[in-house]
C-alpha cells in the first residue's frame, strides 16, 4: 500500500510539472509587476486575461540584455515607436499606434517583404540580394502542403489562430499589447493601430506595453519592445488658443489694449465621443465685465485697461455615462400604534397601479444615461500699450542723380496710432506680394505725433508690393500698398535740364566768338542810332533764347503727391 501512495504522488507531481513550467502572459509582459495589481481592473472589451498560457516554443522569451537581441534582425536593430491620442475622456475610445523603424536602407514593400532601398549605401555597402526578408517565399514553402494556411504555427502566443482574410500572408509581424492585466494580439505590417474603449479603465495614468515579433520559418523572433503612459480622465481635455492682430508674441500671454483678442477653444476628442453633445462655454475674463455663456467655441474680447487679468473658462457637456446605482431601500421604522390603523386603512382604500413606487422606477435599468462632464481652463493675461494701426498717407518720388539712372527713391510718409514705434521694416515684393525682392529693417526715432518718413530704393521700373511694419517690444503693426515706379528714360526732366545747360553754354561761346570777329572787322566809330532793326534783332535773339529756355528749362510740373491706396505715377 505504501508503494501505491508513492506511485500516486509521483503521478500527481508529473501532472503538475507542465503547469508550473508553463509561462503566462503576465510573466512575459508584466514588467515584473505583482499579479495582485492586475486583478483590480474591469474587463476590457475584446481583451484577454494575462493569466493565460504563453506558447514559448513558438514565441521565445528574451530578457532585457539577452545577447540574442543583437541578432534578432539582419543589418541592425528595429525600433518600435508607440504613440496614443491620450488624454482620453472616460467612456471614449483611445487609439494606440505602433510604427517600426528599420535599419538604414531597409523598407517594407507592397507584398510585406523587407527589401533594400535602391541606390542606398549603408555600412555594409550595396547588397546584391534585394531582400532582407523574403517572407513571401517562406510562406509558400512552409504552407505548400496546406493552401489555406491552417498550420499549427500560424497562431498567436495564446494558441488562437491568425485571422485569415485576403492578403493576410503579407502581414508578418505579431504585436502583443498589454495593459491593466489584459492583453490583445494583432497581426500586422510595419504599422498597426489598436483602439480601446475606456469605460472600464481606471482613471489616471496607465501603462501600455507592446512586444513585437517577426516571422522566422515556422516560429517567431522578438524584435522590439516599447511602452508608453496614457491618461484616462473624467475632465474634458480643453485647450485654448489666443490670437490678436498686432500682437508680437502670442505665446507669452501678453496682449494689447483696445484691440480684440480671439479665443478659440479646442476640445481634445479624437474619437468624436462628444459629437452629439450640447457643449456650453462659460467665460470670465477677469476685468469685471461679468460672465459670458455661449455655445460657440470662439469668442472675441477687448481689454480697455492695462494690467494683469485672470481668464477662466468652464466647459460643460452631457456625455454618455454609467447610470447611477439605485438608492438603498429605506430602513423600516417601528410604526406608531396610533397611526398604524390609519395608514393600513388609507393603503387599503387608495390602491394604485403597480410600478408607481419611485423606488421601483429607479431600479429599472436605463441604457441611455447621460452624465455632465466638465472641463476647465485658466490663464493669466497681461495687457499693455501697443501700436494699434499704421497708415501710409503720402508717397513722393525723389529725383536721382545721373550715375544711378536705373534706380528710384520713394519717400513714404507714415502715421500710426497707439504706442511709439522703435523700428521700421519694409518688404518689397512682386505685384502678387509672394516673391520677396528686398527686406530692410532700421531703428527709428519718432516724436509723440507718430509721423515719420521712410525712404526706400526701387531697382528698375514696374509694379511693386510694399509691406511696411512698425514695431516695438510688444507689438507689430502692418500696412501694405502697391506702387508703380515709372521708367527713367533719357527724356526725363533731369537729363533734359543737363542737356539744356550744355547747349546754352555752347551757344554763349559761339555768340561771343562772332561778336569779337565783328568787332575786329568794324573798328571804326559808328554813332549810336535808334535803329528799329537792331531792336528787332535784339528782340529776335531774346525771343530765341526765351524759347530755348522754355524747351530746355520747363517749369515745375510735378503732380500732387499720391495719397494712400492710389497708384503712384511718379514725376510727369
Amino acid at each position: 500500500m505504501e508503494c501505491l501512495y508513492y506511485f500516486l504522488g509521483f503521478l500527481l507531481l508529473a501532472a503538475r510539472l507542465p503547469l508550473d513550467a508553463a509561462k503566462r502572459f503576465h510573466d512575459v509582459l508584466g514588467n515584473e509587476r505583482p499579479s495582485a495589481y492586475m486583478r483590480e481592473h474591469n474587463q476590457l472589451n475584446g481583451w484577454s486575461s494575462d493569466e493565460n498560457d504563453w506558447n514559448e516554443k513558438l514565441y521565445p522569451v528574451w530578457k532585457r540584455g539577452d545577447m540574442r537581441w543583437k541578432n534578432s534582425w539582419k543589418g541592425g536593430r528595429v525600433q518600435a515607436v508607440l504613440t496614443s491620442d491620450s488624454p482620453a475622456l472616460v467612456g471614449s475610445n483611445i487609439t494606440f499606434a505602433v510604427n517600426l523603424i528599420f535599419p538604414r536602407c531597409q523598407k517594407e514593400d507592397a507584398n510585406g517583404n523587407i527589401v533594400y532601398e535602391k541606390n542606398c549605401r549603408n555600412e555594409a555597402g550595396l547588397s546584391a540580394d534585394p531582400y532582407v526578408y523574403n517572407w513571401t517565399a517562406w510562406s509558400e514553402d512552409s504552407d505548400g502542403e496546406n493552401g489555406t494556411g491552417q498550420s499549427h504555427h500560424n497562431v498567436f502566443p495564446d494558441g488562437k489562430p491568425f485571422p485569415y482574410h485576403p492578403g493576410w500572408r503579407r502581414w508578418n509581424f505579431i504585436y502583443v499589447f498589454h495593459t491593466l492585466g489584459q492583453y490583445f494580439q494583432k497581426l500586422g505590417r510595419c504599422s498597426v493601430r489598436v483602439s480601446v474603449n475606456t469605460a472600464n479603465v481606471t482613471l489616471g495614468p496607465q501603462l501600455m506595453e507592446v512586444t513585437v515579433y517577426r516571422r522566422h520559418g515556422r516560429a517567431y523572433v522578438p524584435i522590439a519592445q516599447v511602452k508608453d503612459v496614457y491618461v484616462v480622465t473624467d475632465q474634458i481635455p480643453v485647450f485654448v488658443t489666443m490670437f490678436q492682430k498686432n500682437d508680437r508674441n502670442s505665446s507669452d500671454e501678453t496682449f494689447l489694449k483696445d484691440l480684440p483678442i480671439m479665443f478659440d477653444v479646442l476640445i481634445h476628442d479624437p474619437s468624436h465621443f462628444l459629437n452629439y453633445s450640447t457643449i456650453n462655454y462659460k467665460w470670465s475674463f477677469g476685468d469685471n465685465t461679468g460672465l459670458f455663456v455661449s455655445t460657440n467655441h470662439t469668442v472675441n474680447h477687448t481689454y480697455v485697461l492695462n494690467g494683469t487679468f485672470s481668464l477662466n473658462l468652464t466647459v460643460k457637456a452631457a456625455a454618455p455615462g454609467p447610470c447611477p446605482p439605485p438608492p438603498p431601500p429605506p430602513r423600516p421604522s417601528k410604526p406608531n400604534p396610533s397611526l398604524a390603523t390609519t395608514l393600513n386603512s388609507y393603503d387599503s382604500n387608495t390602491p394604485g397601479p403597480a410600478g408607481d413606487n419611485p423606488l421601483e422606477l429607479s431600479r429599472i435599468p436605463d441604457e441611455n444615461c447621460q452624465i455632465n462632464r466638465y472641463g476647465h481652463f485658466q490663464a493669466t493675461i497681461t495687457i499693455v500699450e501697443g501700436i494699434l494701426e499704421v497708415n501710409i498717407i503720402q508717397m513722393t518720388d525723389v529725383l536721382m542723380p545721373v550715375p544711378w539712372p536705373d534706380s528710384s527713391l520713394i519717400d513714404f510718409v507714415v502715421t500710426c496710432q497707439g504706442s511709439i514705434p522703435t523700428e521700421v521694416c519694409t518688404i518689397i515684393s512682386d505685384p502678387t506680394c509672394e516673391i520677396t525682392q528686398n527686406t530692410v529693417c532700421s531703428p527709428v526715432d519718432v516724436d509723440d505725433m507718430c509721423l515719420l518718413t521712410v525712404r526706400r530704393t526701387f531697382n528698375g521700373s514696374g509694379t511693386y508690393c510694399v509691406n511696411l511694419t512698425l514695431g516695438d517690444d510688444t507689438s507689430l503693426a502692418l500696412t501694405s500698398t502697391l506702387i508703380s515706379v515709372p521708367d527713367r528714360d533719357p527724356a526725363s526732366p533731369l537729363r533734359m535740364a543737363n542737356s539744356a545747360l550744355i547747349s546754352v553754354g555752347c551757344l554763349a561761346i559761339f555768340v561771343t566768338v562772332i561778336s569779337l570777329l565783328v568787332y575786329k572787322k568794324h573798328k571804326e566809330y559808328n554813332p549810336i542810332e535808334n535803329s528799329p532793326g537792331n531792336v528787332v534783332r535784339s528782340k529776335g535773339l531774346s525771343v530765341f533764347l526765351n524759347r530755348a529756355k522754355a524747351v530746355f528749362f520747363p517749369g515745375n510740373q510735378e503732380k500732387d503727391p499720391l495719397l494712400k491706396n492710389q497708384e503712384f505715377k511718379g514725376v510727369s
Side-chain angles (χ1 to χ4, degrees):
M1 181 64 67
E2 187 176 354
C3 295
L4 178 61
Y5 289 152
Y6 280 114
F7 180 72
L8 292 176
F10 176 78
L11 291 178
L12 291 175
L13 181 62
R16 185 174 178 80
L17 280 176
L19 296 176
D20 293 337
K23 286 186 178 295
R24 298 181 180 183
F25 272 74
H26 65 76
D27 298 325
V28 178
L29 308 173
N31 198 22
E32 300 179 358
R33 185 182 290 119
S35 59
Y37 170 85
M38 313 300 178
R39 309 303 139 240
E40 300 173 0
H41 304 281
N42 296 324
Q43 177 68 36
L44 300 179
N45 186 24
W47 290 55
S48 303
S49 171
D50 61 6
E51 289 292 330
N52 292 341
D53 291 340
W54 176 282
N55 188 342
E56 192 173 5
K57 182 178 179 181
L58 282 180
Y59 294 87
V61 178
W62 299 344
K63 297 296 183 180
R64 188 182 304 274
D66 194 309
M67 296 300 295
R68 288 174 291 183
W69 282 105
K70 295 183 178 180
N71 299 320
S72 64
W73 190 268
K74 187 186 301 183
R77 287 292 302 271
V78 174
Q79 180 183 359
V81 178
L82 172 63
T83 58
S84 72
D85 52 16
S86 167
L89 181 63
V90 62
S92 67
N93 289 343
I94 184 172
T95 299
F96 299 89
V98 181
N99 293 281
L100 300 181
I101 301 178
F102 301 118
R104 175 177 167 79
C105 300
Q106 298 182 15
K107 67 176 183 178
E108 187 181 47
D109 68 5
N111 294 320
N113 299 312
I114 308 301
V115 297
Y116 290 103
E117 296 181 6
K118 293 183 178 180
N119 301 323
C120 181
R121 185 181 297 273
N122 57 15
E123 296 179 356
L126 294 175
S127 175
D129 185 358
Y131 291 99
V132 182
Y133 293 106
N134 187 355
W135 283 312
T136 302
W138 289 4
S139 61
E140 292 175 353
D141 294 340
S142 60
D143 296 333
E145 72 284 355
N146 190 346
T148 63
Q150 299 284 353
S151 59
H152 69 280
H153 60 272
N154 288 325
V155 295
F156 287 112
D158 63 356
K160 294 179 181 178
F162 291 162
Y164 300 109
H165 53 78
W168 73 273
R169 293 179 183 275
R170 300 176 182 177
W171 296 6
N172 297 291
F173 297 100
I174 293 83
Y175 299 82
V176 183
F177 293 79
H178 182 244
T179 187
L180 303 176
Q182 299 163 66
Y183 69 89
F184 183 83
Q185 305 164 126
K186 189 175 181 64
L187 184 68
R189 301 185 62 170
C190 64
S191 178
V192 297
R193 297 166 65 89
V194 170
S195 294
V196 181
N197 185 269
T198 60
N200 291 331
V201 176
T202 305
L203 298 180
Q206 307 294 345
L207 183 67
M208 175 65 76
E209 301 168 292
V210 181
T211 300
V212 187
Y213 282 75
R214 68 166 174 86
R215 287 185 183 272
H216 183 68
R218 294 177 176 268
Y220 302 89
V221 174
I223 60 172
Q225 292 178 325
V226 64
K227 57 186 175 182
D228 192 23
V229 174
Y230 63 98
V231 176
V232 177
T233 176
D234 59 354
Q235 298 287 312
I236 300 175
V238 175
F239 307 90
V240 177
T241 63
M242 293 171 271
F243 172 78
Q244 191 179 44
K245 178 182 176 182
N246 292 346
D247 183 34
R248 188 156 195 160
N249 181 12
S250 60
S251 63
D252 62 358
E253 297 184 347
T254 298
F255 299 94
L256 311 180
K257 187 186 77 171
D258 296 329
L259 279 182
I261 306 172
M262 186 184 76
F263 300 91
D264 189 3
V265 183
L266 305 176
I267 293 179
H268 182 71
D269 184 27
S271 66
H272 310 294
F273 181 61
L274 300 176
N275 266 18
Y276 300 101
S277 302
T278 300
I279 303 177
N280 295 302
Y281 306 87
K282 183 170 68 175
W283 296 89
S284 173
F285 298 100
D287 56 352
N288 297 323
T289 56
L291 297 177
F292 179 74
V293 180
S294 171
T295 58
N296 195 334
H297 63 91
T298 62
V299 66
N300 291 334
H301 185 74
T302 301
Y303 288 88
V304 297
L305 297 175
N306 293 342
T308 301
F309 304 92
S310 295
L311 173 71
N312 288 276
L313 167 67
T314 300
V315 178
K316 176 184 176 181
C323 295
R331 303 180 67 180
S333 58
K334 189 173 183 179
N336 190 335
S338 62
L339 297 177
T341 303
T342 304
L343 291 176
N344 291 333
S345 176
Y346 178 80
D347 290 340
S348 63
N349 295 326
T350 57
D356 284 352
N357 189 331
L359 295 180
E360 293 180 4
L361 290 177
S362 66
R363 295 189 184 98
I364 299 175
D366 186 356
E367 298 295 337
N368 298 315
C369 291
Q370 298 284 315
I371 185 170
N372 288 330
R373 299 294 187 188
Y374 296 89
H376 302 278
F377 176 83
Q378 295 179 339
T380 301
I381 295 178
T382 302
I383 304 298
V384 298
E385 298 283 349
I387 304 172
L388 305 181
E389 187 177 355
V390 56
N391 292 299
I392 300 174
I393 62 172
Q394 183 175 322
M395 293 179 289
T396 306
D397 186 18
V398 180
L399 293 179
M400 294 283 290
V402 177
W404 299 277
D406 295 330
S407 298
S408 298
L409 284 179
I410 306 295
D411 281 347
F412 298 87
V413 181
V414 182
T415 62
C416 64
Q417 297 179 14
S419 61
I420 303 302
T422 58
E423 64 176 352
V424 58
C425 290
T426 54
I427 300 176
I428 300 175
S429 310
D430 70 322
T432 65
C433 301
E434 294 181 354
I435 303 176
T436 301
Q437 299 178 359
N438 187 24
T439 301
V440 178
C441 293
S442 58
V444 292
D445 187 9
V446 185
D447 57 17
D448 294 339
M449 298 298 294
C450 196
L451 180 68
L452 69 153
T453 300
V454 180
R455 176 171 293 183
R456 290 296 182 256
T457 303
F458 295 84
N459 297 323
S461 61
T463 302
Y464 297 89
C465 172
V466 179
N467 290 328
L468 191 146
T469 304
L470 297 181
D472 60 9
D473 292 339
T474 59
S475 60
L476 286 174
L478 168 70
T479 187
S480 300
T481 187
L482 286 176
I483 183 171
S484 180
V485 177
D487 290 330
R488 296 299 184 186
D489 54 20
S492 63
L494 185 60
R495 294 188 178 185
M496 292 175 65
N498 292 334
S499 300
L501 290 174
I502 296 174
S503 301
V504 171
C506 294
L507 179 61
I509 295 175
F510 174 76
V511 172
T512 302
V513 172
I514 295 299
S515 300
L516 290 176
L517 292 176
V518 173
Y519 174 77
K520 290 182 179 180
K521 185 175 182 181
H522 303 281
K523 289 183 179 180
E524 64 275 12
Y525 171 77
N526 291 323
I528 300 175
E529 300 179 357
N530 188 11
S531 172
N534 293 336
V535 175
V536 172
R537 286 191 294 270
S538 174
K539 287 183 178 180
L541 180 59
S542 175
V543 171
F544 171 77
L545 293 176
N546 287 336
R547 288 180 177 177
K549 291 179 180 180
V551 173
F552 296 107
F553 296 90
N556 185 8
Q557 301 179 17
E558 182 178 5
K559 295 182 180 180
D560 293 335
L562 187 71
L563 297 180
K564 181 185 178 185
N565 297 328
Q566 293 180 338
E567 185 180 8
F568 183 77
K569 300 298 183 182
V571 178
S572 61

